[in-house]
């Protein structure tokens, strides 16, 4: 018996009756230094075309490693969605930068740039939308009113997600770069984000403990962990 048999992630469970991916509750959690290696694993799993959409250029593995090594968790916010196997299946990176003098779309001190990716196996279940909403609400609560994204006009999925969240994609700097205007914070947006993070932290802890238990069991005589 394999340890992972006790914690199955049967792909059939991810489909609904119409054979479409089922949209179960998605928990978006703020990630930290201890998640860095799992973040790297997520990015390395993206195929060439996805890396192009996500980064605007095809990044080889060595550049992905540099990018992940360079994430500054004390300055930026990284949000993730974790699978039952405690793997990261979606990452949203909100990188802050001071407003440049040439920036005419905001008068705030800083702007944010958001990049999002979801592992192929986990797409169509609302993960990208939830990561996007979380990035936007965090900007809102952090007094940032302009969110830049690398988003090709052909990236209809991303455009759909932004529209669904009630946001319009503006383009002033060419075909690939876009920005969105974010509403100011209010009590509801602050409370909403805090509650989402609390629930996601509980979910993360349960999954981390389950993973640790599966590892422990796999070390018992006669068990092997095939979930690695
Ligand atoms: C874009 C991306 C993050 C979306 O992730 P996801 O988890 O599949 O997104 P969701 O499931 O939340 O939503 C997808 C939505 O797009 C819709 N969609 C899918 N393909 C579409 C298309 N070609 N045209 C329009 N809408 C489309 C889906 O129907 C769904 O809408 P719904 O929620 O109203 O049903 C993912 O495809 C990805 O990682 N792409 C590569 C990287 C990238 O493009 N990043 C964005 C730029 S930084």
């Amino acid at each position: 018996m394999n340890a992972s048999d006790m914690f199955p992630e049967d792909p059939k469970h991810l489909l609904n009756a119409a054979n479409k991916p089922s949209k179960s509750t998605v928990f978006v959690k703020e990630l930290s230094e201890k998640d860095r290696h799992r973040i790297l694993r997520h990015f390395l799993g993206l195929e060439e075309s996805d890396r192009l959409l996500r980064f605007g250029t095809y990044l080889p593995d060595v550049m992905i490693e540099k990018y992940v090594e360079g994430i500054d968790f004390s300055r930026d916010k990284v949000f993730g969605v974790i699978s039952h196997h405690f793997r990261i299946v979606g990452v949203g990176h909100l990188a802050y930068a001071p407003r440049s003098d040439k920036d005419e779309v905001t008068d705030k001190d800083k702007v944010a740039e958001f990049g999002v990716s979801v592992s192929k196996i986990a797409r169509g279940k609302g993960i990208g939308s939830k990561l996007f909403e979380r990035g936007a609400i965090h900007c809102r609560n952090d007094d940032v009113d302009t969110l830049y994204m690398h988003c090709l006009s052909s990236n209809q999925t991303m455009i759909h997600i932004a529209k669904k969240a009630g946001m319009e994609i503006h383009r002033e700097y060419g075909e690939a770069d876009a920005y969105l205007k974010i509403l100011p914070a209010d009590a509801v947006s602050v409370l909403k984000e805090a509650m989402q993070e609390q629930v996601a932290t509980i979910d993360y802890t349960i999954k981390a403990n389950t993973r640790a238990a599966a590892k422990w069991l796999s070390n018992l005589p006669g068990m092997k962990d095939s979930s690695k």
Side-chain angles (χ1 to χ4, degrees), residues 22-28 81 125 127 130 199 203 207:
S22 60
K23 293 196 179 180
S24 52
T25 312
V26 174
F27 300 109
V28 176
V81 173
K125 294 192 284 168
I127 295 174
K130 289 288 176 196
V199 175
D203 174 71
K207 284 171 180 165

Side-chain angles (χ1 to χ4, degrees), residues 86-199:
F86 203 51
R87 288 196 185 140
I88 292 178
V89 289
V91 174
H93 181 185
L94 194 61
Y96 289 114
R99 180 176 72 95
S100 92
D101 294 341
K102 289 184 204 140
D103 197 328
E104 288 171 2
V105 298
T106 180
D107 53 8
K108 300 282 183 190
D109 293 342
K110 57 181 179 180
V111 294
E113 187 180 330
F114 191 61
V116 60
S117 53
V118 172
S119 307
K120 205 148 222 175
I121 187 175
R123 292 201 185 146
K125 294 192 284 168
I127 295 174
S129 304
K130 289 288 176 196
L131 284 164
F132 177 77
E133 283 167 23
R134 182 65 187 275
I137 203 169
H138 191 82
C139 280
R140 193 174 170 180
N141 294 335
D142 208 11
D143 198 30
V144 169
D145 72 355
T146 308
L147 181 60
Y148 287 95
M149 281 188 80
H150 179 87
C151 180
L152 289 167
S153 53
S154 57
N155 196 341
Q156 288 303 316
T157 311
M158 207 53 236
I159 292 167
H160 175 82
I161 289 172
K163 275 195 184 150
K164 204 172 57 171
M167 282 185 244
E168 197 186 332
I169 293 194
H170 304 267
R171 292 179 195 279
E172 275 190 4
Y173 308 105
E175 199 258 348
D177 295 314
Y179 69 89
L180 303 111
K181 293 307 281 182
I182 310 280
L183 291 170
D186 60 18
V188 175
S189 67
V190 173
L191 193 65
K192 192 172 169 186
E193 188 183 10
M195 285 184 68
Q196 280 179 3
E197 183 60 21
Q198 292 248 324
V199 175

